[in-house]
Amino acid sequence: MIREICRDEDFLAQRSDPATPDDLGTAQDLLDTLISHKDGCVGMAANMIGVKKRIIAFENDGEYMVMLNPVIVKRSGAFDAEEGCLSLSGVRKTKRFRSIKVQWQNEKFQTRLKTFTGWTAEIIQHEIDHCDGVII
């Protein structure tokens, strides 16, 4: 189901709770909402659709990916970036890393670990910031 985009900065500034198997419907709604905004958006976190759970969805080399409970475990190659967001107005400056190693759970709650680089790494960092209540 496509959900409305949350723009409430007080809500977005709250840390998200861990995702559980009961949240798989939210993960699907997040993916549906992201795909409906594909012309202007490459990633979303669950709080962007009003659900305070650690779930992100993003475009990765032409395919969509969902991560439950993502955590960055390693970072390298810091750089300054400017990013926009569907939930926030304007473009904002932030610090990102060219390479990140992420641990997450898939839809079967199996733990995964992978290194992401470049644009995909930047998207993931932005969405994990949302999960952590960080507003850039």
Side-chain angles (χ1 to χ4, degrees):
M1 174 173 65
I2 298 169
R3 302 253 197 123
E4 186 175 328
I5 302 300
C6 174
R7 291 181 171 80
D8 179 348
E9 288 194 31
D10 290 333
F11 180 79
L12 294 169
Q14 297 176 39
R15 287 185 68 84
S16 296
D17 299 321
T20 69
D22 291 338
D23 298 313
L24 290 175
T26 296
Q28 185 60 55
D29 290 352
L30 184 62
L31 192 57
D32 293 344
T33 305
L34 173 59
I35 291 168
S36 77
H37 289 277
K38 68 182 176 183
D39 289 340
C41 185
V42 292
M44 296 183 84
N47 65 354
M48 293 176 67
I49 60 169
V51 180
K52 200 173 67 164
K53 291 291 185 163
R54 284 192 77 83
I55 306 169
I56 68 172
F58 56 95
E59 190 271 327
N60 180 26
D61 294 327
E63 307 233 349
Y64 288 98
M65 188 169 180
V66 172
M67 290 181 172
L68 305 164
N69 302 312
V71 177
I72 298 171
V73 296
K74 186 177 180 183
R75 300 167 171 85
S76 65
F79 69 98
D80 293 324
E82 289 187 355
E83 298 172 353
C85 181
L86 272 181
S87 289
L88 304 168
S89 62
V91 175
R92 299 165 187 232
K93 295 181 181 204
T94 189
K95 179 180 171 181
R96 293 293 181 222
F97 295 87
R98 297 189 195 292
S99 177
I100 58 172
K101 184 180 281 190
V102 182
Q103 180 177 305
W104 78 95
Q105 294 169 309
N106 64 15
E107 292 90 341
K108 295 178 182 176
F109 280 82
Q110 299 164 320
T111 300
R112 298 289 183 245
L113 185 68
K114 183 176 177 179
T115 298
F116 295 89
T117 60
W119 178 235
T120 302
E122 188 173 348
I123 297 166
I124 293 168
Q125 290 168 84
H126 181 101
E127 304 316 331
I128 290 177
D129 273 358
H130 273 294
C131 292
D132 293 337
V134 174
I135 297 178
I136 60 165

